[in-house]
Amino acid sequence: MHHIILAKLETGRDALYPPFGILYVANALERAGYKVTIFNEVGNERNIQRLLEITAKIDPLFIGFSTMTGSQLIPTVKASGFIKQEISNLPIVWGGIHPTILPEQCLTEVFVDTVVIGEGEETTVELADALRNKRTLSQIKGLGYKEKGNIRINELRDFIDLDHCSAS
């Protein structure tokens, strides 16, 4: 079974609240047969080091970060850069509000390999399947990625009506 880590690094008291966005994505991945570890912590140096240790131990298919524009971006940048420096072949995926609004800007960073644009439930499962099977990313709606140094933004995905999705 392939393992995936989904992380949300918070600033201050926000880490006390459940990370609903990545919980939806984790549910979709688990329903597709993936094992998911969720890391929702304050983005300080100690927790970033802990995330690296967990990542090295698990050896996931990829690590996904959910982030927003603003102060939450700072620990996500630090953690992504640190992990990419230590485990250079590990795909780092960003999702959330910031990469949805600014996908090209996020992909200019050397430590971001892929961005999920919009709701990530379907896109992330398709990404995991493509990485697992070493397939191209070009047909995955709602995805931005790098290909031979060029930034590619695929067709956007339609909105998901979460009120009518089955959670079982």
Side-chain angles (χ1 to χ4, degrees), residues 6-8 19-27 38-40 64-66:
L6 298 178
K8 188 168 185 186
F20 291 112
I22 62 174
L23 290 174
Y24 279 118
V25 173
N27 180 55
I38 294 176
F39 190 88
N40 181 49
F65 288 94
S66 177

Side-chain angles (χ1 to χ4, degrees), residues 51-123:
L51 178 57
L52 173 65
E53 291 166 6
I54 291 167
T55 303
K57 181 178 178 182
I58 290 174
D59 187 29
L61 187 59
F62 68 85
I63 183 168
F65 288 94
S66 177
T67 193
M68 296 188 309
T69 306
S71 62
Q72 189 187 68
L73 197 56
I74 296 167
T76 304
V77 167
K78 286 181 184 176
S80 298
F82 187 54
I83 290 170
K84 184 57 88 174
Q85 180 180 354
E86 298 296 319
I87 312 171
S88 62
N89 63 333
L90 177 66
I92 294 181
V93 180
W94 277 20
I97 295 168
H98 188 74
T100 294
I101 295 170
L102 299 166
E104 292 92 350
Q105 183 187 54
C106 293
L107 288 166
T108 62
E109 301 293 348
V110 296
F111 48 79
V112 177
D113 299 301
T114 307
V115 295
V116 174
I117 303 165
E119 292 142 338
E121 291 80 3
E122 295 173 0
T123 303

Side-chain angles (χ1 to χ4, degrees), residues 112-137:
V112 177
D113 299 301
T114 307
V115 295
V116 174
I117 303 165
E119 292 142 338
E121 291 80 3
E122 295 173 0
T123 303
T124 305
V125 170
E126 290 180 23
L127 171 63
D129 291 346
L131 291 173
R132 182 186 70 211
N133 296 311
K134 299 183 181 357
R135 291 192 323 249
T136 180
L137 305 180

